[in-house]
Amino acid sequence: MADTLAIGNYSDEDQKALQEKSAVFIGSTDDLDGLEPGQREAIRAVAFKGHKPFGPAQMDLLPNLGLIANYGVGYDAIDIDAASARGVKVTNTPDVLNDDVADLAVAMLIMQGREMRQASEWARSGQWKDKGEYRLNRKVSGGVAGIVGLGRIGRDIADRLAAFKMEIHYFARSEKETPGWTYHADPVSLAKAVDYLVVALVGGPDTEKFVSKEVIEALGPRGIIVNISRGTTIDEAAMLDALEQGKIAGAALDVFLNEPDIDARFYDLDNVVIQPHQGSGTVETRAAMGQLQRDNVTAFLAGKDLLTPVN
Ligand code: 8YV
């Protein structure tokens, strides 16, 4: 019987590679109890993709589970304490996606600042031809950017923005060695100092609503929020209020609460760039993520060291 269970929607290539490992497939953790008890008992490794909770209740349905190999750098859907308590190892897919996520963050920031969505619509709808030039917007290069969370992805974003001659400020748990960037121990002080607030925190309960109403309002009426982390890291209701009331200039968001059924208030806002959580969504990067996930499964089943352990 199969010792590997694949949870989630995989690309054809990933599916084929997992099939070669004789994996059993289910769509989400909700489908676990649809498996026969014998099938569940045989599972030693799970290749996990998705954002539905993988907690104690799900783990207890797999009594011989030893590994959850997450497809993604963020593993906030997995209860790490519950996994550790059961002797279950967890791995993720760090680094291979940094470039794509950082590229998207910068692209969204420029898209929002230069009103590229509205300007494109101006041309497509014939208004350029009929009414003339699109209105002037705002210069992005040389602005002041604040990165919330200077981990691997945050740093790659900051490096890119520095190449746009931006002054870089950041918040992190501790001051880092950086090339002349300004550290803020307090996110409100960071928000006050910058025009662009780019959120690159890890998800999970520790960072819930870290970008609070106070932080959002400290950003001020020229402020633009960019989020490529998780919807949970921002007080989303407070951000929506601020966007509707013009307390901040705009937002560019790849992540939301309750994806993909996001708050309908977003759809009515002209000052928001919306992306469908596609930060790592390129053929190249998703292939690398799938490979790293499977390499962790292979290492575990062979009793070797895991490549990218979390716990
Ligand atoms: C998802 C992500 O893993 O890596 C992460 O943390 O958010 C994404 O790359 C991807 O959407 C697959 O679920």
Side-chain angles (χ1 to χ4, degrees), residues 254-308:
D254 186 45
V255 287
F256 301 83
L257 294 178
N258 202 29
E259 296 170 8
D261 186 15
I262 67 173
D263 195 315
R265 287 166 73 190
F266 283 112
Y267 301 131
D268 293 329
L269 283 165
D270 200 39
N271 53 353
V272 180
V273 167
I274 298 175
Q275 291 289 298
H277 195 154
Q278 64 128 337
S280 67
T282 66
V283 172
E284 295 85 348
T285 290
R286 289 289 169 87
M289 290 164 70
Q291 186 64 54
L292 184 50
Q293 179 190 47
R294 292 190 299 278
D295 288 347
N296 275 303
V297 171
T298 306
F300 173 78
L301 293 175
K304 295 192 178 144
D305 285 348
L306 298 169
L307 282 82
T308 47

Side-chain angles (χ1 to χ4, degrees), residues 37-217:
Q39 263 181 320
R40 288 193 275 106
E41 278 160 31
I43 298 302
R44 296 179 53 222
V46 166
F48 178 60
K49 180 168 187 252
H51 301 279
K52 286 221 166 133
F54 201 145
Q58 291 75 29
M59 292 173 199
D60 288 343
L61 289 168
L62 302 167
N64 294 307
L65 184 63
L67 173 73
I68 302 171
N70 187 49
Y71 181 104
V73 65
Y75 45 82
D76 44 307
I78 304 167
D79 185 332
I80 302 296
D81 289 343
S84 299
R86 288 162 179 74
V88 175
K89 297 282 179 210
V90 177
T91 58
N92 66 342
T93 60
D95 292 324
V96 293
L97 43 61
N98 297 357
D99 279 337
D100 278 352
V101 177
D103 287 354
L104 195 81
V106 174
M108 291 199 303
L109 186 153
I110 298 174
M111 187 168 170
Q112 175 61 30
R114 298 303 308 274
E115 301 185 0
M116 288 171 70
R117 187 178 57 81
Q118 298 90 327
S120 172
E121 193 45 42
W122 183 263
R124 279 175 185 274
S125 64
Q127 295 184 82
W128 185 19
K129 177 165 57 77
D130 298 339
K131 298 185 184 167
E133 284 184 2
Y134 183 69
R135 70 179 183 199
L136 302 183
N137 39 74
R138 67 191 264 177
K139 179 166 176 169
V140 171
S141 277
V144 187
I147 316 294
V148 188
L150 204 71
R152 289 172 285 218
I153 293 176
R155 210 173 255 270
D156 272 7
I157 295 170
D159 284 338
R160 281 163 172 73
L161 294 179
F164 284 86
K165 303 173 202 157
M166 286 189 150
E167 190 180 309
I168 307 295
H169 295 238
Y170 69 98
F171 164 86
R173 271 179 302 221
S174 60
E175 190 164 0
K176 315 256 182 203
E177 216 165 286
T178 62
W181 302 344
T182 307
Y183 174 65
H184 296 256
D186 162 30
V188 174
S189 140
L190 175 73
K192 274 190 186 145
V194 304
D195 308 316
Y196 303 93
L197 195 72
V198 185
V199 188
L201 292 165
V202 295
D206 292 348
T207 56
E208 212 172 310
K209 295 189 183 168
F210 185 83
V211 178
S212 62
K213 183 171 190 272
E214 200 188 352
V215 174
I216 295 164
E217 292 186 356

